[in-house]
Amino acid sequence: SCVISQLPLAPDLSDNRSRGAESSRRDIVFVVNPRGANGRTGKEWKKLLPYLRSRLESDYNICESFTSNPFHAIDITREAIRESADAVVAVGGDGTLHEVVNGFFWSGKPVVDNYQGAASTALGLIPLGTGSDFARTFGWKNDPCAAVDRIARGIRSRVDVGVVSRESGEPHYFINVADVHLSAKAGYFASRYKRFGKFCYVLGALRAFFGHQNRDLRIKVDGGDWKVFSNVTALCVGNAKYFGGGMKITPNADPKSKYFEVVILEDFKWYDFILNLHKLYNGSHLMVKNVSSIRASSIEVENSSHDDDIFVQTDGEHLGFLPRKFSILPSAIEMIC
């Protein structure tokens, strides 16, 4: 197995290529955030390695790559795709997966490999983090050995990716759920309480409720007319079903459907959340008054007033503030699933 250096460049991948006559095995690059889940990801990864090698080493070059700072996984992924890796596997939670997905794109376009042009690198996932909400949509348990078995079987299918854009600046990609206002603010605070594990989501939500005010939002679906939704508490754009540590927020979303499910909660008070919490977890909240669901391939969201403090997050990562446009990229990535 090869270990990629801590630099974004991965010279050993190109060394493998120059020895190509000797080995036709392709590289699988495992992107590991060793500090994930309060350091648990690094420890679990070490325990998993012997099993992973026994299952995969006869067919692939196994390349470990440890991230050393935020966004490092993006650089590692781009380099691996350019060097024709067979797959890039995110080892960790939704944050690591989110970075790896963003590494499949550069300057608004898919990354291409240096040799064949069109990239054929697949995305893989070994859930080993605080939150593994994306894995839940596929019914995957937090079982790293089962994830290795999936990679060994190598069955692939294409999944959609969401892209978030605004008038200026680089587009940003997400694979799970993007959300706006209260839930995005809760995610922003939850990231500060990661040391409390899964409980961080509850603490984040409580903190977000302080000083929260529902706001009127202007929304345009699939390029139609602008429509005002009043007293919006939260708006969620689902490519997949779960967020916030297991809430089935967009229960009809399917990452192979070529559509988002957009769920809008209007005029919720803090006690409405408490009363409906079980429904948010089992996905039956769409029957609740003031909850609407829209199927869309693009949605633009802006604040009705001129304040610019409405939070936006993607896959649990803080992205800034409204206005934003969310669009689906159908079948954008091939995924091992």
Side-chain angles (χ1 to χ4, degrees):
S1 73
C2 55
V3 177
I4 298 178
S5 68
Q6 296 297 348
L7 297 167
L9 292 171
D12 18 7
L13 287 182
S14 13
D15 291 348
N16 280 341
R17 178 168 303 284
S18 59
R19 295 196 302 269
E22 203 179 291
S23 160
S24 60
R25 297 186 307 175
R26 288 180 75 188
D27 301 311
I28 292 192
V29 178
F30 292 88
V31 182
V32 186
N33 172 10
R35 291 166 310 287
N38 298 322
R40 201 184 78 235
T41 302
K43 293 189 189 95
E44 295 285 326
W45 169 248
K46 279 196 186 113
K47 284 190 221 158
L48 181 65
L49 258 180
Y51 181 70
L52 185 137
R53 290 206 169 107
S54 72
R55 292 289 275 123
L56 299 174
E57 214 157 35
S58 58
D59 297 313
Y60 298 101
N61 298 316
I62 294 167
C63 305
E64 297 173 68
S65 192
F66 295 95
T67 60
S68 55
N69 52 53
F71 314 122
H72 189 187
I74 298 177
D75 293 330
I76 294 165
T77 303
R78 285 176 184 157
E79 181 62 20
I81 294 169
R82 287 177 184 136
E83 294 292 344
S84 305
D86 188 66
V88 179
V89 178
V91 180
D94 291 313
T96 305
L97 175 65
H98 177 73
E99 285 200 16
V100 168
V101 165
N102 273 273
F104 273 76
F105 302 90
W106 188 70
S107 256
K109 296 191 181 70
V111 174
V112 294
D113 98 24
N114 291 336
Y115 304 90
Q116 284 131 11
S120 59
T121 303
L123 168 69
L125 173 63
I126 297 179
L128 273 184
T130 307
S132 295
D133 280 313
F134 183 71
R136 291 175 209 266
T137 289
F138 292 93
W140 299 341
K141 301 283 183 284
N142 256 6
D143 178 347
C145 293
V148 171
D149 295 341
R150 270 197 302 278
I151 293 162
R153 281 197 303 274
I155 296 166
R156 300 174 176 200
S157 68
R158 299 201 76 88
V159 294
D160 308 331
V161 169
V163 57
V164 189
S165 52
R166 51 181 170 173
E167 282 180 10
S168 61
E170 286 279 300
H172 192 91
Y173 301 87
F174 68 99
I175 197 164
N176 192 39
V177 178
D179 54 308
V180 171
H181 206 19
L182 180 71
S183 52
K185 203 190 299 181
Y188 174 75
F189 289 118
S191 65
R192 299 177 171 196
Y193 300 123
K194 280 273 170 79
R195 63 187 178 279
F196 296 108
K198 292 262 160 73
F199 198 56
C200 70
Y201 299 110
V202 178
L203 292 170
L206 290 170
R207 174 69 184 79
F209 262 117
F210 289 113
H212 170 78
Q213 287 179 318
N214 295 330
R215 302 285 271 280
D216 295 353
L217 298 182
R218 296 178 74 230
I219 294 168
K220 181 195 280 193
V221 175
D222 292 340
D225 296 330
W226 287 101
K227 187 179 169 190
V228 175
F229 284 72
S230 56
N231 288 317
V232 172
T233 310
L235 177 148
C236 302
V237 182
N239 185 46
K241 298 179 195 300
Y242 295 88
F243 82 157
M247 278 189 199
K248 198 173 185 180
I249 190 68
T250 43
N252 301 308
D254 173 359
K256 300 176 187 178
S257 70
K258 302 178 173 42
Y259 290 95
F260 294 129
E261 181 179 33
V262 180
V263 169
I264 303 170
L265 279 61
E266 291 175 86
D267 204 20
F268 264 54
K269 311 287 188 289
W270 68 268
Y271 50 82
D272 292 317
F273 268 100
I274 306 297
L275 292 171
N276 292 296
L277 201 58
H278 62 292
K279 293 181 179 173
L280 289 163
Y281 275 97
N282 68 24
S284 63
H285 57 287
L286 297 188
M287 312 300 287
V288 173
K289 186 165 117 353
N290 295 355
V291 178
S292 49
S293 166
I294 301 165
R295 194 167 182 248
S297 53
S298 80
I299 178 166
E300 293 172 62
V301 186
E302 59 180 47
N303 197 346
S304 272
S305 60
H306 295 295
D307 310 325
D308 57 354
D309 58 348
I310 295 184
F311 282 66
V312 177
Q313 75 171 3
T314 50
D315 298 347
E317 306 294 313
H318 176 61
L319 192 60
F321 304 93
L322 289 181
R324 287 288 192 281
K325 179 177 183 177
F326 306 86
S327 314
I328 201 107
L329 296 177
S331 308
I333 289 180
E334 190 171 46
M335 186 158 185
I336 301 168
C337 50

